[in-house]
Amino acid sequence: MRHTVKDIATALGLEAAGAVSFEITHAAEPVGAAADALALAMNPAYAEGLSQGAAQVAMLWEGADWQALGLKAAIFAPRPRFAMSGLTQMLDHGLDLVPGVHPTAVIDSTAQIGAHAAIGPFVVINAGVVIGENAQIASHASVGRNSTIGDNCLIHPGVRIGANVRIGDRFIAQAGGVIGADGFSFVTPEKSGVEKARESLGDQGDVANEGAGQAWIRIHSLGGVEIGDDVETGGNVTIDSGTIRATRIGRGTKLDNQVHLGHNVQVGEDCLLCGQVGIAGSTKIGNRVVMGGQCGASDNIFIGDDVVAGGASKIFTKVPAGRVILGSPAVKMETQVEINKSLRRLPRALKQLADLKTAFASLQETVSKTDENK
Amino acid sequence: MRHTVKDIATALGLEAAGAVSFEITHAAEPVGAAADALALAMNPAYAEGLSQGAAQVAMLWEGADWQALGLKAAIFAPRPRFAMSGLTQMLDHGLDLVPGVHPTAVIDSTAQIGAHAAIGPFVVINAGVVIGENAQIASHASVGRNSTIGDNCLIHPGVRIGANVRIGDRFIAQAGGVIGADGFSFVTPEKSGVEKARESLGDQGDVANEGAGQAWIRIHSLGGVEIGDDVETGGNVTIDSGTIRATRIGRGTKLDNQVHLGHNVQVGEDCLLCGQVGIAGSTKIGNRVVMGGQCGASDNIFIGDDVVAGGASKIFTKVPAGRVILGSPAVKMETQVEINKSLRRLPRALKQLADLKTAFASLQETVSKTDENK
Amino acid sequence: MRHTVKDIATALGLEAAGAVSFEITHAAEPVGAAADALALAMNPAYAEGLSQGAAQVAMLWEGADWQALGLKAAIFAPRPRFAMSGLTQMLDHGLDLVPGVHPTAVIDSTAQIGAHAAIGPFVVINAGVVIGENAQIASHASVGRNSTIGDNCLIHPGVRIGANVRIGDRFIAQAGGVIGADGFSFVTPEKSGVEKARESLGDQGDVANEGAGQAWIRIHSLGGVEIGDDVETGGNVTIDSGTIRATRIGRGTKLDNQVHLGHNVQVGEDCLLCGQVGIAGSTKIGNRVVMGGQCGASDNIFIGDDVVAGGASKIFTKVPAGRVILGSPAVKMETQVEINKSLRRLPRALKQLADLKTAFASLQETVSKTDENK
């Protein structure tokens, strides 16, 4: 794939200058860049690297003096990361899947495959499945009974889509994800120690006697998963089916690698859930929520629109819309920052308190004697 | 699949009333339920939803006035979640696997497949494997050398069972799980900085010099995994083989999605380990232990019977039987609740302490002068 | 596989005594060991177990009186875990893969497979891939466009290697890992609430208005992954491709199950990252770093050489070389140990502080009156 500087600038809606018919084959960091690379130096800090590489054209910050940098041509990116989205899309080779169904794929006769779809080797598609137009389903993926996937989806290798999963258009699933697993929902014939501990916040009653002999019995998940348009799921995610209603992920929401959503979870639109986030069953998350890596949320709580949770926050209770939170248990970010500062001073403070108590007792005695001596 | 109200009530051991020969095809939440649904309204709070759907029969709370709710028939569930287990099992379509070995499956000639087993497309079964009767092994799963799986197992797509794994009856594995990976066990020819830090709790010695040049050498895992009857493992779990003895999971224990068990771990019977729980090598967990999502346990510790750990608890030391714990490091739940309350007051308390110290110094001086003035 | 005591001792560079031509078939713990087992009792605490098993030969601690233990022969292991590495390697059956390409594998005509390589059933190898000599690639694995894997690699079933991944020699990948997924990198056309919260540490501005209507747009990952020699990755790990430069893992580094590395992460040499560790994008980790299970590191930070992080440490900021850390946020281990002790005393200390304030006010009044009375 070769692109001229002009074609890139046009596609990205950016200004270009110089020999814009120059062709590049790839993008590279300035240091060590090859002669056919577009060097990326959208920050003046990267400019000096240009002289340590052979790139002749670059993407630069707005207003950069490209000629002084010794370049033949340049593209100017006032919002660098946004420019990167367009550029990397242009240069991505994709999965190299060929339209049509690979001869090794096993497709149920009742499944419907959309026009121009590409189904890779060893794919298994079960009864009643509907796959949209221009779908790309890579090797070893499987799609369960009665599931539907919209147009222009991109399913990486080995993704497991279960039964009754309904997915919108332009869905991207990174490799190894499991979408539509049975929920972790069990019940004992009689009340269990856990239920009692929840009710009494800590006291299990006489669990050792009562609990004995009680086995966990599965509540099956029949509700499937509903996923809106433009959703992406990361590598090795796990998303459980709902019990009766569907587990839902709203339009535009992105899940990073190893995110886990329990059964009946509802995630709103345009959310970002970073790596290893876990959301327990039946919790509801609003729109535009961002959760840093390794965050967790308890079951059956509500997290409002526009909440931002810092990395490793553990959310045990309802969070109002717009709040920025941190910590375990998660509290307002500024509160947690104050708590963290205080914690570092705590061991010394406890020593000071003990000393003060002693000094106070001594002073109290002094005063008492002074008083008596009057 | 169609079921009469009567058949469902009988199967679940529940009372029914009204036109019990009415047939339903599925269960649904009351709002928006279709006319052939069994509406689920086992709590009076859901009753008003019945009028916003077309369901004509429902499962209700004990003693509900089904006729006043405009229903044709009803089933009464005094313990709703337990009723759900029976109902959802009846209505689950399962994996739609056909008994017999799919022509694409690769089965070693020395493997034994039980009667009525269903082996799906692209399954690989290695030498010496024994699979029980009525087994269902879905597409893309693989079973390593000399492993055995009991009767009535249900292996979802893409599960990886390694070598020397012995599994009981009625085992359910959600998609993508890895059972019997090599343990994370390495050694350096000489003592490493980590070993020294463990011994001295923090001081690594002159690691930068000593550690240099030391490579980690694998200790292979030969012990396999032993799993009792009625165990379930979630999507994308990872369970390591033991080194010499087996890693063990007791009868009736359920692991949620993305749970990780290190090598030599022993988990007792009827435990529930929720999403993303991680148990480090050689730790032993008793019976009926429940760990909330994202809990972790250090290696080589013991967690007693009936312990309940709240979500995201990190367990570094032995926990006695029956204790309910929370936090990181995990302590008794009521202790952690007190600590959490105190933490929110801490920044202000440190300010008060500083103020008190100042005031005390001033008072001390006053008293001292008073004393001198006598 | 049968081995004489002498052969094992020679291979491990250890001393042996007694009937060293005795043949064993496997290793076992002393209790219950079979007559053809090598019993492992490298610690005197295990010696009494020998009488509860049928083993006739054992591996013992240095200087043990093997004859008094009733053994026919013994091997002496002054550094037991190091001896275990050699012994378990000798006794490991491996994956039983047969050299050659399995007839079901789908190999692109432009791919190069090294001499004596074994490619298992249902493996997919894409265009431009180079696989080294003696490679073992187990069933259901896939390797993306233009990736290269060195000699003597061992790829367990179902591993997903993406495009542009360059891996050194002797690489071991446990089952289900995803190497070279697209990074979690998105941008909004205008500044998002998250960017603003980062800038102002908590205040999102008028997010609810501004954020509305902004969709996340993907920045594709073109940089691939570079992995040095002697690296191992655990079950179901996820490693993202870099955006422009590669995500890198240095020689000798080992990743445990479910470890997650974001895009552009750089991990040094001889590191150990234990189960479920997560490293956010662009963070750089030095050499010989050890991170306990469930540790996390924020994006764009630097963790120096020889750092040791205790289990569940959450690292938000730069860590200098050689430091041993613990907690969330992670601080020096001895500081965290002090903080943890203080936390348990905190609720009582706050009560004492309140009492002291009251007593102080009372004393202040007394002194004030005494002063006035003079």
PDB file of all heavy atoms in Angstrom, chain A residues 338-361:
ATOM      1  N   GLU A 338      -6.834  13.261  49.123  1.00  0.00           N
ATOM      2  CA  GLU A 338      -6.603  13.715  50.503  1.00  0.00           C
ATOM      3  C   GLU A 338      -6.361  12.531  51.446  1.00  0.00           C
ATOM      4  O   GLU A 338      -5.474  12.567  52.297  1.00  0.00           O
ATOM      5  CB  GLU A 338      -7.814  14.522  51.013  1.00  0.00           C
ATOM      6  CG  GLU A 338      -7.872  15.939  50.494  1.00  0.00           C
ATOM      7  CD  GLU A 338      -6.570  16.693  50.725  1.00  0.00           C
ATOM      8  OE1 GLU A 338      -6.096  16.746  51.884  1.00  0.00           O
ATOM      9  OE2 GLU A 338      -6.014  17.206  49.727  1.00  0.00           O
ATOM     10  N   ILE A 339      -7.167  11.477  51.279  1.00  0.00           N
ATOM     11  CA  ILE A 339      -7.001  10.286  52.125  1.00  0.00           C
ATOM     12  C   ILE A 339      -5.611   9.679  51.901  1.00  0.00           C
ATOM     13  O   ILE A 339      -4.909   9.332  52.863  1.00  0.00           O
ATOM     14  CB  ILE A 339      -8.112   9.243  51.823  1.00  0.00           C
ATOM     15  CG1 ILE A 339      -9.455   9.730  52.355  1.00  0.00           C
ATOM     16  CG2 ILE A 339      -7.753   7.884  52.412  1.00  0.00           C
ATOM     17  CD1 ILE A 339     -10.648   8.847  51.968  1.00  0.00           C
ATOM     18  N   ASN A 340      -5.196   9.585  50.651  1.00  0.00           N
ATOM     19  CA  ASN A 340      -3.882   8.990  50.366  1.00  0.00           C
ATOM     20  C   ASN A 340      -2.754   9.793  51.005  1.00  0.00           C
ATOM     21  O   ASN A 340      -1.819   9.216  51.573  1.00  0.00           O
ATOM     22  CB  ASN A 340      -3.663   8.878  48.855  1.00  0.00           C
ATOM     23  CG  ASN A 340      -4.566   7.841  48.226  1.00  0.00           C
ATOM     24  OD1 ASN A 340      -5.196   7.041  48.916  1.00  0.00           O
ATOM     25  ND2 ASN A 340      -4.651   7.855  46.904  1.00  0.00           N
ATOM     26  N   LYS A 341      -2.851  11.117  50.926  1.00  0.00           N
ATOM     27  CA  LYS A 341      -1.838  11.965  51.580  1.00  0.00           C
ATOM     28  C   LYS A 341      -1.842  11.707  53.086  1.00  0.00           C
ATOM     29  O   LYS A 341      -0.796  11.571  53.717  1.00  0.00           O
ATOM     30  CB  LYS A 341      -2.170  13.458  51.346  1.00  0.00           C
ATOM     31  CG  LYS A 341      -1.671  14.026  50.046  1.00  0.00           C
ATOM     32  CD  LYS A 341      -1.981  15.549  50.033  1.00  0.00           C
ATOM     33  CE  LYS A 341      -2.151  16.050  48.620  1.00  0.00           C
ATOM     34  NZ  LYS A 341      -2.852  17.352  48.570  1.00  0.00           N
ATOM     35  N   SER A 342      -3.044  11.660  53.658  1.00  0.00           N
ATOM     36  CA  SER A 342      -3.174  11.463  55.097  1.00  0.00           C
ATOM     37  C   SER A 342      -2.603  10.116  55.521  1.00  0.00           C
ATOM     38  O   SER A 342      -2.001   9.993  56.593  1.00  0.00           O
ATOM     39  CB  SER A 342      -4.642  11.539  55.510  1.00  0.00           C
ATOM     40  OG  SER A 342      -5.189  12.779  55.141  1.00  0.00           O
ATOM     41  N   LEU A 343      -2.798   9.103  54.671  1.00  0.00           N
ATOM     42  CA  LEU A 343      -2.336   7.753  55.024  1.00  0.00           C
ATOM     43  C   LEU A 343      -0.825   7.726  55.187  1.00  0.00           C
ATOM     44  O   LEU A 343      -0.303   7.055  56.087  1.00  0.00           O
ATOM     45  CB  LEU A 343      -2.751   6.752  53.949  1.00  0.00           C
ATOM     46  CG  LEU A 343      -4.161   6.198  54.114  1.00  0.00           C
ATOM     47  CD1 LEU A 343      -4.541   5.357  52.908  1.00  0.00           C
ATOM     48  CD2 LEU A 343      -4.252   5.378  55.397  1.00  0.00           C
ATOM     49  N   ARG A 344      -0.137   8.443  54.328  1.00  0.00           N
ATOM     50  CA  ARG A 344       1.327   8.441  54.430  1.00  0.00           C
ATOM     51  C   ARG A 344       1.781   9.103  55.734  1.00  0.00           C
ATOM     52  O   ARG A 344       2.822   8.775  56.280  1.00  0.00           O
ATOM     53  CB  ARG A 344       1.950   9.139  53.214  1.00  0.00           C
ATOM     54  CG  ARG A 344       1.962   8.232  51.981  1.00  0.00           C
ATOM     55  CD  ARG A 344       2.763   8.829  50.842  1.00  0.00           C
ATOM     56  NE  ARG A 344       2.090   9.966  50.242  1.00  0.00           N
ATOM     57  CZ  ARG A 344       1.204   9.876  49.229  1.00  0.00           C
ATOM     58  NH1 ARG A 344       0.896   8.704  48.735  1.00  0.00           N
ATOM     59  NH2 ARG A 344       0.644  10.958  48.728  1.00  0.00           N
ATOM     60  N   ARG A 345       0.954  10.014  56.268  1.00  0.00           N
ATOM     61  CA  ARG A 345       1.302  10.696  57.517  1.00  0.00           C
ATOM     62  C   ARG A 345       0.760   9.943  58.733  1.00  0.00           C
ATOM     63  O   ARG A 345       1.072  10.299  59.878  1.00  0.00           O
ATOM     64  CB  ARG A 345       0.733  12.112  57.503  1.00  0.00           C
ATOM     65  CG  ARG A 345       1.348  13.011  56.430  1.00  0.00           C
ATOM     66  CD  ARG A 345       0.483  14.251  56.169  1.00  0.00           C
ATOM     67  NE  ARG A 345       0.143  14.947  57.399  1.00  0.00           N
ATOM     68  CZ  ARG A 345      -0.906  15.759  57.556  1.00  0.00           C
ATOM     69  NH1 ARG A 345      -1.726  15.973  56.545  1.00  0.00           N
ATOM     70  NH2 ARG A 345      -1.146  16.352  58.712  1.00  0.00           N
ATOM     71  N   LEU A 346      -0.063   8.907  58.490  1.00  0.00           N
ATOM     72  CA  LEU A 346      -0.799   8.290  59.592  1.00  0.00           C
ATOM     73  C   LEU A 346       0.088   7.643  60.660  1.00  0.00           C
ATOM     74  O   LEU A 346      -0.126   7.884  61.856  1.00  0.00           O
ATOM     75  CB  LEU A 346      -1.816   7.282  59.031  1.00  0.00           C
ATOM     76  CG  LEU A 346      -2.665   6.552  60.068  1.00  0.00           C
ATOM     77  CD1 LEU A 346      -3.491   7.533  60.887  1.00  0.00           C
ATOM     78  CD2 LEU A 346      -3.588   5.538  59.388  1.00  0.00           C
ATOM     79  N   PRO A 347       1.071   6.816  60.290  1.00  0.00           N
ATOM     80  CA  PRO A 347       1.852   6.173  61.354  1.00  0.00           C
ATOM     81  C   PRO A 347       2.473   7.205  62.306  1.00  0.00           C
ATOM     82  O   PRO A 347       2.432   7.045  63.529  1.00  0.00           O
ATOM     83  CB  PRO A 347       2.928   5.398  60.577  1.00  0.00           C
ATOM     84  CG  PRO A 347       2.286   5.096  59.243  1.00  0.00           C
ATOM     85  CD  PRO A 347       1.454   6.315  58.944  1.00  0.00           C
ATOM     86  N   ARG A 348       3.006   8.298  61.730  1.00  0.00           N
ATOM     87  CA  ARG A 348       3.609   9.330  62.576  1.00  0.00           C
ATOM     88  C   ARG A 348       2.535  10.032  63.416  1.00  0.00           C
ATOM     89  O   ARG A 348       2.756  10.361  64.587  1.00  0.00           O
ATOM     90  CB  ARG A 348       4.360  10.360  61.710  1.00  0.00           C
ATOM     91  CG  ARG A 348       5.428  11.134  62.452  1.00  0.00           C
ATOM     92  CD  ARG A 348       6.481  11.686  61.509  1.00  0.00           C
ATOM     93  NE  ARG A 348       5.880  12.583  60.537  1.00  0.00           N
ATOM     94  CZ  ARG A 348       5.839  13.911  60.665  1.00  0.00           C
ATOM     95  NH1 ARG A 348       6.387  14.495  61.711  1.00  0.00           N
ATOM     96  NH2 ARG A 348       5.284  14.661  59.745  1.00  0.00           N
ATOM     97  N   ALA A 349       1.369  10.249  62.830  1.00  0.00           N
ATOM     98  CA  ALA A 349       0.289  10.927  63.547  1.00  0.00           C
ATOM     99  C   ALA A 349      -0.166  10.114  64.751  1.00  0.00           C
ATOM    100  O   ALA A 349      -0.446  10.668  65.826  1.00  0.00           O
ATOM    101  CB  ALA A 349      -0.882  11.188  62.607  1.00  0.00           C
ATOM    102  N   LEU A 350      -0.233   8.788  64.596  1.00  0.00           N
ATOM    103  CA  LEU A 350      -0.660   7.952  65.732  1.00  0.00           C
ATOM    104  C   LEU A 350       0.370   8.037  66.854  1.00  0.00           C
ATOM    105  O   LEU A 350       0.022   8.045  68.041  1.00  0.00           O
ATOM    106  CB  LEU A 350      -0.862   6.499  65.289  1.00  0.00           C
ATOM    107  CG  LEU A 350      -2.036   6.228  64.337  1.00  0.00           C
ATOM    108  CD1 LEU A 350      -2.281   4.740  64.214  1.00  0.00           C
ATOM    109  CD2 LEU A 350      -3.303   6.935  64.805  1.00  0.00           C
ATOM    110  N   LYS A 351       1.649   8.114  66.477  1.00  0.00           N
ATOM    111  CA  LYS A 351       2.708   8.293  67.479  1.00  0.00           C
ATOM    112  C   LYS A 351       2.520   9.634  68.182  1.00  0.00           C
ATOM    113  O   LYS A 351       2.608   9.703  69.427  1.00  0.00           O
ATOM    114  CB  LYS A 351       4.062   8.232  66.753  1.00  0.00           C
ATOM    115  CG  LYS A 351       5.295   8.451  67.610  1.00  0.00           C
ATOM    116  CD  LYS A 351       5.568   7.255  68.506  1.00  0.00           C
ATOM    117  CE  LYS A 351       6.896   7.408  69.249  1.00  0.00           C
ATOM    118  NZ  LYS A 351       7.000   8.615  70.073  1.00  0.00           N
ATOM    119  N   GLN A 352       2.252  10.670  67.402  1.00  0.00           N
ATOM    120  CA  GLN A 352       2.044  11.995  67.983  1.00  0.00           C
ATOM    121  C   GLN A 352       0.849  12.011  68.931  1.00  0.00           C
ATOM    122  O   GLN A 352       0.884  12.624  69.994  1.00  0.00           O
ATOM    123  CB  GLN A 352       1.823  13.038  66.874  1.00  0.00           C
ATOM    124  CG  GLN A 352       3.087  13.328  66.071  1.00  0.00           C
ATOM    125  CD  GLN A 352       2.784  14.174  64.840  1.00  0.00           C
ATOM    126  OE1 GLN A 352       1.634  14.345  64.454  1.00  0.00           O
ATOM    127  NE2 GLN A 352       3.841  14.699  64.224  1.00  0.00           N
ATOM    128  N   LEU A 353      -0.213  11.298  68.512  1.00  0.00           N
ATOM    129  CA  LEU A 353      -1.404  11.248  69.361  1.00  0.00           C
ATOM    130  C   LEU A 353      -1.082  10.585  70.695  1.00  0.00           C
ATOM    131  O   LEU A 353      -1.483  11.071  71.769  1.00  0.00           O
ATOM    132  CB  LEU A 353      -2.516  10.491  68.623  1.00  0.00           C
ATOM    133  CG  LEU A 353      -3.817  10.276  69.386  1.00  0.00           C
ATOM    134  CD1 LEU A 353      -4.471  11.607  69.748  1.00  0.00           C
ATOM    135  CD2 LEU A 353      -4.804   9.415  68.580  1.00  0.00           C
ATOM    136  N   ALA A 354      -0.347   9.483  70.640  1.00  0.00           N
ATOM    137  CA  ALA A 354       0.025   8.778  71.872  1.00  0.00           C
ATOM    138  C   ALA A 354       0.875   9.680  72.768  1.00  0.00           C
ATOM    139  O   ALA A 354       0.660   9.770  73.982  1.00  0.00           O
ATOM    140  CB  ALA A 354       0.769   7.492  71.524  1.00  0.00           C
ATOM    141  N   ASP A 355       1.844  10.367  72.142  1.00  0.00           N
ATOM    142  CA  ASP A 355       2.702  11.282  72.906  1.00  0.00           C
ATOM    143  C   ASP A 355       1.874  12.396  73.540  1.00  0.00           C
ATOM    144  O   ASP A 355       2.078  12.775  74.694  1.00  0.00           O
ATOM    145  CB  ASP A 355       3.764  11.907  71.987  1.00  0.00           C
ATOM    146  CG  ASP A 355       4.796  10.884  71.537  1.00  0.00           C
ATOM    147  OD1 ASP A 355       4.819   9.764  72.105  1.00  0.00           O
ATOM    148  OD2 ASP A 355       5.559  11.203  70.606  1.00  0.00           O
ATOM    149  N   LEU A 356       0.939  12.907  72.755  1.00  0.00           N
ATOM    150  CA  LEU A 356       0.114  14.007  73.239  1.00  0.00           C
ATOM    151  C   LEU A 356      -0.743  13.567  74.418  1.00  0.00           C
ATOM    152  O   LEU A 356      -0.912  14.300  75.397  1.00  0.00           O
ATOM    153  CB  LEU A 356      -0.759  14.514  72.077  1.00  0.00           C
ATOM    154  CG  LEU A 356      -1.474  15.847  72.286  1.00  0.00           C
ATOM    155  CD1 LEU A 356      -0.482  16.971  72.568  1.00  0.00           C
ATOM    156  CD2 LEU A 356      -2.316  16.194  71.048  1.00  0.00           C
ATOM    157  N   LYS A 357      -1.270  12.327  74.300  1.00  0.00           N
ATOM    158  CA  LYS A 357      -2.071  11.792  75.412  1.00  0.00           C
ATOM    159  C   LYS A 357      -1.247  11.752  76.696  1.00  0.00           C
ATOM    160  O   LYS A 357      -1.714  12.138  77.773  1.00  0.00           O
ATOM    161  CB  LYS A 357      -2.578  10.387  75.087  1.00  0.00           C
ATOM    162  CG  LYS A 357      -3.851  10.358  74.298  1.00  0.00           C
ATOM    163  CD  LYS A 357      -4.388   8.943  74.161  1.00  0.00           C
ATOM    164  CE  LYS A 357      -4.813   8.343  75.493  1.00  0.00           C
ATOM    165  NZ  LYS A 357      -5.350   6.975  75.325  1.00  0.00           N
ATOM    166  N   THR A 358      -0.028  11.266  76.577  1.00  0.00           N
ATOM    167  CA  THR A 358       0.861  11.169  77.743  1.00  0.00           C
ATOM    168  C   THR A 358       1.156  12.552  78.315  1.00  0.00           C
ATOM    169  O   THR A 358       1.027  12.799  79.519  1.00  0.00           O
ATOM    170  CB  THR A 358       2.185  10.489  77.322  1.00  0.00           C
ATOM    171  OG1 THR A 358       1.867   9.252  76.692  1.00  0.00           O
ATOM    172  CG2 THR A 358       3.093  10.255  78.513  1.00  0.00           C
ATOM    173  N   ALA A 359       1.524  13.463  77.405  1.00  0.00           N
ATOM    174  CA  ALA A 359       1.849  14.825  77.843  1.00  0.00           C
ATOM    175  C   ALA A 359       0.637  15.477  78.480  1.00  0.00           C
ATOM    176  O   ALA A 359       0.739  16.204  79.477  1.00  0.00           O
ATOM    177  CB  ALA A 359       2.356  15.644  76.656  1.00  0.00           C
ATOM    178  N   PHE A 360      -0.539  15.185  77.894  1.00  0.00           N
ATOM    179  CA  PHE A 360      -1.761  15.782  78.426  1.00  0.00           C
ATOM    180  C   PHE A 360      -2.039  15.283  79.832  1.00  0.00           C
ATOM    181  O   PHE A 360      -2.381  16.060  80.734  1.00  0.00           O
ATOM    182  CB  PHE A 360      -2.944  15.458  77.487  1.00  0.00           C
ATOM    183  CG  PHE A 360      -4.238  16.007  77.993  1.00  0.00           C
ATOM    184  CD1 PHE A 360      -4.561  17.348  77.795  1.00  0.00           C
ATOM    185  CD2 PHE A 360      -5.136  15.202  78.681  1.00  0.00           C
ATOM    186  CE1 PHE A 360      -5.744  17.870  78.272  1.00  0.00           C
ATOM    187  CE2 PHE A 360      -6.317  15.721  79.165  1.00  0.00           C
ATOM    188  CZ  PHE A 360      -6.633  17.058  78.965  1.00  0.00           C
ATOM    189  N   ALA A 361      -1.884  13.975  80.036  1.00  0.00           N
ATOM    190  CA  ALA A 361      -2.116  13.395  81.363  1.00  0.00           C
ATOM    191  C   ALA A 361      -1.192  14.047  82.381  1.00  0.00           C
ATOM    192  O   ALA A 361      -1.592  14.384  83.505  1.00  0.00           O
ATOM    193  CB  ALA A 361      -1.893  11.888  81.319  1.00  0.00           C
TER     194      ALA A 361
END
